[in-house]
């Protein structure tokens, strides 16, 4: 039996009673025969709901859609039974194909996405007003997340994901290009020949003027790499192949990145030690504001240790470099500064080469970043797994046992929270088969698989225990990963239960 209450225009299903997606859906044990008879006449998403219930012995009751639908957006444009994905900026269609059509409704461009369950974006500066109450996650197709209010999202219990390494090859190639541009004054030569061509003198002067643009080869020179993550390690490896000597600094060097480094590389214990004596210096570190951050990390104290003629390559963030100190170096030491971040003090300096922000502007990088973001969002929405998040702990629970329902809970990282959550399940006579709890800063994240075979009655209800858990002081949101995509999400909005 399919039992539903309420009335709405979606009452078009051939069932013993009217069906609407809006209220609770209760599915009882003796339904297999009925399901076989009516499945062909049901909407695709409802068929998925019926099919999913056959996995368990008990019958599951999950609440979805309490309250005024205007809270969630325009019901006329809502597609029930699918995860709705909102895209901001132009996201690669190749990456968006990672979302299956049968369970995802991807809204691009100006399409209404008032009920979005997740947001994908690139460079758009995200505001809190852009984020609907239904949103569970945000993913940036790129590494940096400065355009997302990460701190506020943490307070709301919304994980923010990025795509580290997706554009690493594209940025690495631009770094190598920057080394060559900084070595041979190629751009100055191109501009000079353009001017001569306009005067009709190009053929006459092409040999005579080449001495104006002499340079040096990079083979045998020393490259200092500051930051040895995806981009830094790839840059070091390829520079070694070009015959360069290598120095590096990264206080947070991971085992994975260390294994990618060339064997003969001098790892130093400070930035100053790395840059001293280097012919080229590549910055590959994130920009972090505040005390202990990386703002102006390449300052006068570091630049004073540059050798005369050194080339600084900054394809990370403009704010990492102290512009005043860099200008002084360029004016007095015949060095070079190559970057894709414009600066009011340095953009017109004769020894600066300022490019558009081209680091990830390749078709391959955009495809890779979008695909990685889509896969990360899918993993989170479908299994509760968290990876590549900048504000939530990496969390992965092993495969869900048979005859179980998966819960996720986001809460403030405070003493006693886990005990309160598990106690709520115990009070509801629900057995936790496996669980994991990880924290990061002020946030904690829980994934729990609850058995469905110990039900005392015909229906095993999760709606009351979910409300109890969600409304615990310190809990921000919860999800029941069961049934139709998009259902089972609840939030504690300043003491109001939103489901």
């Amino acid at each position: 039996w399919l039992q539903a209450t309420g009335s709405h225009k979606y009452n078009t299903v051939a069932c013993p009673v009217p069906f609407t997606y809006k209220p609770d859906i209760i599915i009882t044990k003796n339904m297999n025969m009925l399901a076989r008879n009516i499945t062909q006449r049901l909407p695709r998403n409802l068929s998925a709901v019926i099919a999913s219930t056959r996995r368990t012995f008990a019958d599951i009751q999950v609440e979805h859609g309490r309250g005024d639908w205007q809270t969630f957006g325009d019901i006329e444009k809502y597609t029930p039974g699918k995860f709705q994905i909102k895209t901001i900026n132009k996201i690669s269609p190749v990456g968006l194909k990672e979302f299956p059509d049968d369970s995802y409704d991807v809204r691009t461009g100006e399409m209404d996405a008032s009920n979005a369950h997740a947001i994908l974006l690139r460079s758009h500066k995200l505001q809190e007003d852009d984020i609907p109450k239904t949103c569970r996650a945000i993913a940036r197709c790129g590494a940096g997340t400065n355009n997302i209010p990460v701190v506020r999202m943490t307070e709301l219990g919304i994980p923010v994901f990025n795509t580290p390494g997706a554009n690493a090859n594209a940025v690495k190639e631009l770094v190598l290009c920057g080394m060559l541009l900084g070595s041979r004054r190629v751009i100055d030569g191109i501009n000079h020949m353009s001017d001569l061509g306009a005067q009709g003198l190009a053929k006459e002067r092409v040999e005579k003027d080449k001495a104006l643009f002499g340079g040096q080869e990079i083979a045998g020179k020393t490259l200092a790499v500051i930051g040895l993550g995806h981009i830094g390690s790839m840059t070091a490896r390829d520079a070694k192949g070009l015959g360069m000597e290598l120095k590096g600094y990264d206080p947070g060097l991971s085992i994975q990145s260390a294994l990618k480094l060339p064997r003969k590389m001098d790892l130093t214990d400070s930035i100053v030690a790395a840059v001293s004596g280097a012919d080229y210096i590549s910055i590959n570190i994130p920009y972090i504001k505040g005390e202990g951050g990386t703002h102006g990390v390449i300052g006068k104290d570091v630049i004073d240790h540059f050798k005369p003629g050194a080339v600084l390559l900054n394809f990370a963030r403009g704010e990492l470099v102290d512009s005043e100190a860099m200008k002084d170096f360029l004016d007095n030491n015949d060095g070079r500064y190559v970057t894709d971040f414009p600066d009011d003090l340095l953009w017109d300096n004769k020894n600066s080469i300022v490019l558009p922000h081209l680091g990830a502007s390749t078709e391959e990088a955009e495809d890779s970043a979008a695909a990685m973001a889509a896969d990360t969002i899918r993993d989170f929405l479908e299994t509760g797994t968290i990876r590549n998040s900048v504000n939530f702990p990496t969390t992965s629970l092993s495969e869900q046992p048979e005859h179980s329902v998966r819960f996720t809970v986001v809460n403030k990282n405070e003493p006693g929270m886990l005990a309160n959550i598990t106690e709520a399940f115990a009070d509801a006579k629900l057995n936790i088969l496996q669980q994991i709890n990880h924290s990061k800063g002020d946030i904690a994240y829980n994934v729990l698989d609850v058995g469905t075979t110990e039900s005392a009655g015909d229906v095993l209800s999760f709606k009351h225990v979910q409300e109890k858990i969600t409304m615990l002081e310190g809990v921000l949101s919860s999800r029941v990963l069961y049934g139709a995509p998009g259902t089972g999400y609840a939030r504690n909005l300043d003491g109001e239960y939103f489901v």
Side-chain angles (χ1 to χ4, degrees), residues 19-164:
F19 171 76
T20 170
Y21 195 79
K22 175 181 172 183
D24 304 346
I25 300 173
I26 304 174
I27 303 177
T28 56
K29 284 184 179 178
N30 299 318
M31 64 167 288
N32 285 343
M33 184 176 296
L34 175 62
R36 284 194 297 270
N37 292 333
I38 70 172
T39 293
Q40 298 302 317
R41 290 182 288 169
L42 291 177
R44 181 173 56 184
N45 61 287
L46 188 55
S47 299
V49 176
I50 293 174
S52 67
T53 63
R54 295 173 184 164
R55 293 195 301 264
T56 62
F57 292 141
D59 309 311
I60 309 302
Q61 178 179 339
V62 178
E63 183 174 10
H64 181 64
R66 183 191 302 190
D68 183 0
W69 266 98
Q70 293 304 315
T71 303
F72 313 118
D74 185 2
I75 186 62
E76 298 294 335
K77 298 177 181 178
Y78 179 63
T79 304
K82 291 186 177 184
F83 289 116
Q84 187 178 106
I85 307 298
K86 177 180 181 179
T87 67
I88 305 177
N89 306 126
K90 185 179 179 181
I91 307 298
S92 162
V94 174
L96 293 179
K97 287 181 180 179
E98 296 295 313
F99 292 115
D101 291 338
D102 61 348
S103 53
Y104 285 85
D105 173 21
V106 179
R107 303 292 180 98
T108 60
E110 298 301 318
M111 297 174 65
D112 176 80
S114 300
N115 307 288
H117 302 122
I119 296 173
L120 263 68
L121 76 162
R122 291 175 61 194
S123 58
H124 173 78
K125 192 167 181 62
L126 196 66
Q127 306 293 330
E128 188 173 346
D129 291 343
D130 296 330
I131 305 164
K133 292 183 174 66
T134 52
C135 182
R136 288 94 155 128
I138 298 168
R140 180 172 185 268
C141 302
T145 54
N146 294 340
N147 57 320
I148 301 173
V150 176
V151 174
R152 180 56 180 156
M153 293 305 97
T154 305
E155 293 172 350
L156 296 175
I158 298 174
V160 176
F161 301 95
N162 66 353
T163 58

Side-chain angles (χ1 to χ4, degrees), residues 170-389:
V171 178
K172 173 213 68 178
E173 290 184 358
L174 198 59
V175 172
L176 297 178
C177 175
M179 279 199 293
L180 297 173
L181 293 176
S183 301
R184 305 291 291 272
R185 288 200 177 276
V186 175
I187 294 176
D188 292 340
I190 292 171
N191 292 335
H192 181 70
M193 292 306 296
S194 294
D195 291 340
L196 292 178
Q199 301 171 45
L201 301 173
K203 290 184 178 180
E204 177 184 340
R205 302 272 291 275
V206 67
E207 287 293 334
K208 188 180 300 184
D209 289 1
K210 66 183 181 181
L212 298 173
F213 308 102
Q216 64 181 13
E217 299 180 13
I218 62 174
K221 302 302 188 296
T222 298
L223 169 66
V225 183
I226 312 303
L228 296 167
H230 293 284
I231 298 169
S233 60
M234 292 177 71
T235 300
R237 189 167 61 247
D238 282 12
K240 187 66 175 179
L242 293 171
M244 302 187 76
E245 300 298 322
L246 297 172
K247 299 172 73 176
Y249 172 73
D250 190 334
L253 181 63
S254 67
I255 294 176
Q256 292 85 348
S257 293
L259 292 173
K260 298 176 184 177
L261 296 176
R263 290 185 179 180
K264 293 183 178 180
M265 183 171 187
D266 179 14
L267 296 179
T268 66
D269 59 2
S270 70
I271 295 179
V272 168
V275 305
S276 296
D279 301 287
Y280 301 86
I281 300 141
S282 177
I283 316 171
N284 309 283
I285 57 178
Y287 175 60
I288 303 171
K289 296 181 181 179
E291 187 177 354
T294 56
H295 185 89
V297 67
I298 306 299
K300 188 177 186 304
D301 58 331
V302 174
I303 294 174
D304 282 348
H305 289 82
F306 284 10
K307 67 183 293 186
V311 178
L312 178 63
L313 306 154
N314 180 10
F315 294 95
R317 280 292 181 270
E319 297 89 343
L320 297 170
V321 177
D322 182 327
S323 301
E324 292 279 1
M326 194 65 214
K327 183 178 184 302
D328 184 63
F329 174 78
L330 295 178
D331 290 341
N332 296 288
N333 293 276
D334 196 35
R336 305 284 188 275
Y337 181 48
V338 187
T339 183
D340 59 352
F341 293 94
D343 184 280
D344 291 340
L345 279 179
L346 302 173
W347 70 271
D348 62 345
N349 190 288
K350 67 175 183 178
N351 288 324
S352 287
I353 300 174
V354 181
L355 310 173
H357 188 47
L358 300 176
S361 295
T362 68
E363 184 177 341
E364 295 87 348
E366 291 178 6
D367 292 347
S368 178
M372 182 182 291
D375 288 341
T376 301
I377 288 293
R378 281 195 62 190
D379 227 6
F380 175 71
L381 292 178
E382 296 173 19
T383 71
T385 297
I386 289 184
R387 54 188 170 88
N388 299 330
S389 174

Side-chain angles (χ1 to χ4, degrees), residues 48 118 248 405 445 483:
V405 169
Y445 182 65

Side-chain angles (χ1 to χ4, degrees), residues 58-61 403-405 407 421-435 448-457 459-469 480:
D59 309 311
I60 309 302
Q61 178 179 339
H403 312 309
S404 68
V405 169
F407 261 74
I421 293 168
T422 56
E423 183 179 352
F425 284 109
D427 291 344
K429 302 296 189 291
L430 294 173
N431 183 37
I432 298 174
L433 302 180
Q434 62 176 354
Q435 69 182 81
L448 312 95
D449 288 333
V450 179
T452 62
T453 59
E454 288 82 15
S455 174
V459 176
L460 181 58
S461 174
F462 287 104
K463 57 184 291 187
H464 299 301
V465 68
Q466 183 177 20
E467 180 171 1
K468 181 178 180 180
I469 290 173
V480 184

